[in-house]
Amino acid sequence: MKRLSIFIVSMLASLTSMADWEVNMPRGVSPTANAAYDLHMLIFYITVVIGIVVFGVMFYSIFHHRKSKGAKPASFHESTTVEIIWTVIPFIILVGIAIPSTKTLIMMEDTRDSEITLKVTGYQWMWKYDYVEDDVSFFSKLASDSNQARQLGSKIDVNKVDNYLLNVDNEVVLPTNTKVRILLTASDVIHAWWVPEITGKKDAIPGYVNELWVDIKKPGVYRGQCTELCGKDHGFMPIVVRAVPKQEYTKWVSLNQKNRVADKSK
Amino acid sequence: MTGIKSTILKLSFVVVAMYGFSYALVPIYDTFCEITGLNGKTNQVAYTGNDIKKDNRFVTVKFISNVANSAPLYFEPTVTEMTVQIGKPYNTHYVMKNNSSKKLHTTASPSVTPGKYAEYLKKIECFCFNQQTIDAGEVKDLGIQFVIDNELPQDSGDIVLSYTMFDISDNIKETNKL
Amino acid sequence: MSANIDHLKEEHHQPSGLMRWITTTNHKDIGSLYLWFSLLMFFVGGLMALVIRAELFQPGLQLVVPGFFNQMTTMHALVMIFGALMPAFVGLANWQLPMMIGAPDMALPRLNNWSFWILPFAFTMLISTLFFESGGPAAGWTLYPPLSLQGGNSMPFVIFSIHLLGASSILGAINVIATILNMRAPGMTLMKMPIFVWTWLITAFLLIAAMPVLAGAITMLLTDRFFGTSFFTAAGGGDPVLFQHIFWFFGHPEVYILILPAFGIISTIIPAFSRKKLFGYDSMVYATASIALLSFIVWAHHMFTVGMPLAGEIFFMFTTMLIAVPTGVKVFNWVATMWKGSMTFETPMLFALAFIILFTIGGFSGLMLAITPADFQYHDTYFVVAHFHYVLVPGAIFAVIAAVYYWLPKWTGKMYNETLGKIHFWMTTIFVNITFFPMHFVGLAGMPRRIPDYAVQFTDFNMIASVGAFGFGLSQLLFVYILFSTLRQPVTVADKAWDGAEGLEWTLPSPAPYHSFDTPPKID
């Protein structure tokens, strides 16, 4: 009993050392991420209100319309008027949701007038980045300390690994306040590229090219993961984007142009 | 019992029809995509028309390349970006090198993004219309000739043309065995 | 006249023991076979879920390698959907439909037997692939190519077993439709049928239309892998996204197949325990039919991130949102049934009430997912996992459990222990929320699906979810205990086990006789 309580207390204590109890989507640092967040919150609040109303009525009924309280059952069992009302009102609410949703979607799918093009290729199990205009090209895979720690039975405490599972050897560097067009494809199976704070995800499909755009407003390091099951190491091919001011980006490009990697077998 | 028999017959017909429908979805999907260019697929047969009037509009076309399944190929565009006049035909080419020690059979799959502009990029000649064989160590120039249709919407942005090169040597070997 | 018939019956050799169950063509026997099979598969799938949750209890890999983890997620889904839920609903259909319409049995009793016995064979084959050297299927139950084409030797066996499962469902659906359309007692017009019969009729049509499409899709996978076709590879002029379209054209109606019978059950239980007729019977029928029809034009909402053209994204966003309307109508009608009723809260009613609340929560996350630009952040995260588990577990599964508690007295003539039933209810409901509610949070915070290990900021909620999962699993052992101990009771139940229950089955003795309604009853 004593050992059990020690175990429970230490488990609970260890909880405090673990990071966030994050419950919501990040608002993000780009117009598209912001827009997704705003829509998400709008619909969330609408469903909360509907839930309060509907469940409120239910709970009222459960408390008051019970046999043990002596309630006698009424005999009504249909009403066309009421059916029409509770078909039309939800429909109107949906139209209200559809309008901002459509506007946001159109905005997100407009990749025109981008300054930089970044081609992202998904591999089993890493990413390749090609800066089309700036002629920089490299592979990016899970950082080796994370990779060691994640092996089955490694006995390494993952809480001590820097950004466990969200760190890579070569980061994507992008300039802030620049519209970047991201082209997505894959070499073998379907992957998906996702950095939640900078934009929504899109699939990377072998033989086809998809695109999305980002415009990162705040410098910083943003982390994401592959989000389409792609085999055994699907959970181990993260993405790290470092957003820097334009001059820093230009410097980084010139430093890395020499290390061009051509598309040949590894 | 004839009511039951008749129901069963009709339902069995529906089952078979729906199975057939799933196969019908294949050409339906292709046709839908061809008509609308929606999944970025471009014309698969050479475009032979000559009725596109030249326009004073220009559009930027970007060229990118991919090699599927990490095949032992070098495959890159020689030009990554061209600003082209609508209605005027242009030439460009990709370079492919076989980095392995075996002869390979290859085929390229094109894709245009944004997909809705795929139908306006008409290919007059394209290495993607045919399969290629490439010997060990050989370097090949793969040319395309294309023209942008003047039906291209006025407010279009850049068009990206991508080719993915596949090594299909294994499939060829198996077909030859048959 | 009846004496002659009895004499004939006595001479009719009924096999006993194992042979009875193998050769039975009796809808009640076959219903029981389906239900027991479903219960077994529920635990098999549940065990797989516990492997998943045990590995996800903490970050880092402690128990399994990633490849095996992917086999667990894939098989968990296949077993639960095709082995637990669908057979459970077919079992309920078998037991209830003939009695509810005043028919002696299903239209095709021998086909009924075959439809069942396909299942153990198919599942043995499916589960045996886990023991292959190259392992079982690991590309997700959705089997997207090209990943699924990389699969090992298990692939043809998986495809064959799914074909068999589909065939079983199709044959069952044909049987259901033939029965309902041809064997109703005289006077029972379509709009006088019990609502559970209506929901199963509509579900059966969905099955007939959707399952063959799955058969086509997986056959294409098979030929792409082994017979040189290239439906899904760009090299051969194909498209991996084509598979997704074909799969989800089946897949979306499939999820309605998993919920419409549940709706019918709730529509039966709420009126019974409110002692008040179902509010808006006609509306409920039309709403169910609308949901079924709409389910064919929403499929691409599972594929918003594939790079669909804008027009497609908008179309599917609108149609998916639209499906919330008839679903909402159903919820409102249930509440209106309760309103000014005279409710008691026996175990079936508790599960039905929990269904309404928790399924609706699942519906809310579904509405959020329908919004394409928001879905770009939700897709393939635990937010989706939370959504579908809410609609399937405290949704569909609660309805099945409610149905078992409700009709068990009719099937067996024995009453389960109400106190234990209530304990089972509360434990199940509390643990189901502990398991699945945190998944909304980690999904929104950025945790992808189908990963065996996660970044440390997701630890706390994953721990909670895993604890909940084990609690939920243990609670179901109580359910098994309740079932078995009920079967050991003496027969005590009257014809009408519940004083608010309506329907032809309640005019029969409890337990219902082996053969019932050999002569059809009179309907007024």
Side-chain angles (χ1 to χ4, degrees), chain C residues 380-519:
Chain C
D380 243 292
T381 68
Y382 262 82
F383 191 78
V384 179
V385 179
H387 160 70
F388 66 71
H389 280 97
Y390 260 86
V391 292
L392 286 176
V393 186
I397 293 187
F398 273 29
V400 171
I401 296 176
V404 170
Y405 278 112
Y406 182 62
W407 280 310
L408 193 62
K410 172 56 56 188
W411 301 334
T412 61
K414 305 168 184 199
M415 188 44 100
Y416 64 87
N417 180 313
E418 182 57 47
T419 309
L420 287 182
K422 289 198 163 81
I423 296 175
H424 173 230
F425 166 74
W426 284 110
M427 286 179 71
T428 301
T429 301
I430 290 170
F431 282 118
V432 92
N433 282 292
I434 295 177
T435 309
F436 297 113
F437 205 77
M439 293 186 184
H440 293 108
F441 302 143
V442 291
L444 291 177
M447 181 177 171
R449 286 174 74 169
R450 296 168 161 172
I451 56 175
D453 190 4
Y454 47 80
V456 302
Q457 68 255 36
F458 304 127
T459 306
D460 306 312
F461 287 126
N462 269 288
M463 262 190 179
I464 295 174
S466 291
V467 169
F470 276 86
F472 179 84
L474 285 167
S475 309
Q476 304 325 305
L477 293 176
L478 176 57
F479 182 55
V480 174
Y481 173 79
I482 293 172
L483 287 175
F484 279 105
S485 65
T486 308
L487 292 174
R488 285 202 303 264
Q489 298 298 318
V491 170
T492 54
V493 174
D495 296 4
K496 209 170 177 206
W498 311 103
D499 79 285
E502 299 287 336
L504 285 174
E505 72 266 36
W506 304 108
T507 63
L508 295 166
S510 308
Y514 196 62
H515 297 289
S516 46
F517 294 128
D518 282 343
T519 39

Side-chain angles (χ1 to χ4, degrees), chain C residues 191-245:
Chain C
M191 292 311 263
K192 279 205 183 134
M193 295 196 306
I195 191 82
F196 179 66
V197 181
W198 256 117
T199 56
W200 242 114
L201 178 64
I202 294 174
T203 304
F205 276 108
L206 281 179
L207 276 164
I208 305 258
M211 297 288 334
V213 177
L214 174 67
I218 60 181
T219 309
M220 290 181 216
L221 275 181
L222 194 71
T223 58
D224 258 24
R225 168 79 183 271
F226 294 108
F227 299 112
T229 57
S230 49
F231 291 104
F232 310 126
T233 37
D239 186 351
V241 174
L242 172 64
F243 177 85
Q244 297 185 33
H245 281 291

Side-chain angles (χ1 to χ4, degrees), chain A residues 111-112 114 117 119 121 123 132-133 181 183 185-188 206-211 260 262-266, chain B residues 39 41 62 64-74 76 81 99 111 113-114 155-158 160 162 164:
Chain A
T111 56
R112 292 173 303 179
S114 307
T117 310
K119 187 184 91 166
T121 308
Y123 284 77
V132 178
E133 296 89 1
R181 181 190 200 174
L183 300 175
T185 187
S187 171
D188 34 47
Y208 292 88
V209 181
N210 276 333
E211 57 179 18
R260 195 165 199 295
D263 231 288
K264 49 182 194 253
S265 60
K266 302 182 294 295
Chain B
N39 71 345
K41 272 183 153 157
K62 295 193 161 130
I64 60 175
S65 64
N66 310 283
V67 173
N69 296 309
S70 308
L73 295 163
Y74 170 93
E76 296 281 335
E81 192 174 317
N99 283 319
S111 182
T113 191
D155 59 354
S156 81
D158 299 349
V160 175
S162 160
T164 304

Side-chain angles (χ1 to χ4, degrees), chain C residues 61-116:
Chain C
L61 287 177
Q62 292 86 25
L63 298 169
V64 296
V65 292
F68 185 73
F69 184 88
N70 291 345
Q71 292 175 45
M72 286 290 99
T73 50
T74 304
M75 291 294 268
H76 163 73
L78 287 170
V79 167
M80 286 304 204
I81 293 170
F82 293 105
L85 264 179
M86 288 170 80
F89 286 128
V90 176
L92 292 171
N94 260 288
W95 254 109
Q96 292 305 119
L97 295 182
M99 291 196 291
M100 282 174 154
I101 62 175
D105 207 303
M106 299 290 284
L108 303 159
R110 247 177 316 183
L111 190 68
N112 208 9
N113 173 292
W114 296 338
S115 303
F116 171 73

Side-chain angles (χ1 to χ4, degrees), chain B residues 50-124:
Chain B
N50 54 5
D51 54 345
I52 301 182
K53 284 211 282 277
K54 287 201 195 108
D55 210 330
N56 220 358
R57 255 197 308 158
F58 290 82
V59 73
T60 305
V61 181
K62 295 193 161 130
F63 300 90
I64 60 175
S65 64
N66 310 283
V67 173
N69 296 309
S70 308
L73 295 163
Y74 170 93
F75 176 61
E76 296 281 335
T78 51
V79 170
T80 54
E81 192 174 317
M82 284 171 90
T83 306
V84 304
Q85 184 180 12
I86 302 230
K88 187 164 156 207
Y90 288 85
N91 287 294
T92 183
H93 59 112
Y94 281 66
V95 174
M96 174 162 74
K97 177 164 185 256
N98 181 346
N99 283 319
S100 76
S101 51
K102 295 182 292 171
K103 174 160 144 173
L104 296 175
H105 296 268
T106 62
T107 185
S109 186
S111 182
V112 169
T113 191
K116 58 187 170 185
Y117 302 140
E119 54 176 321
Y120 306 109
L121 194 153
K122 305 265 198 257
K123 291 181 295 200
I124 301 163

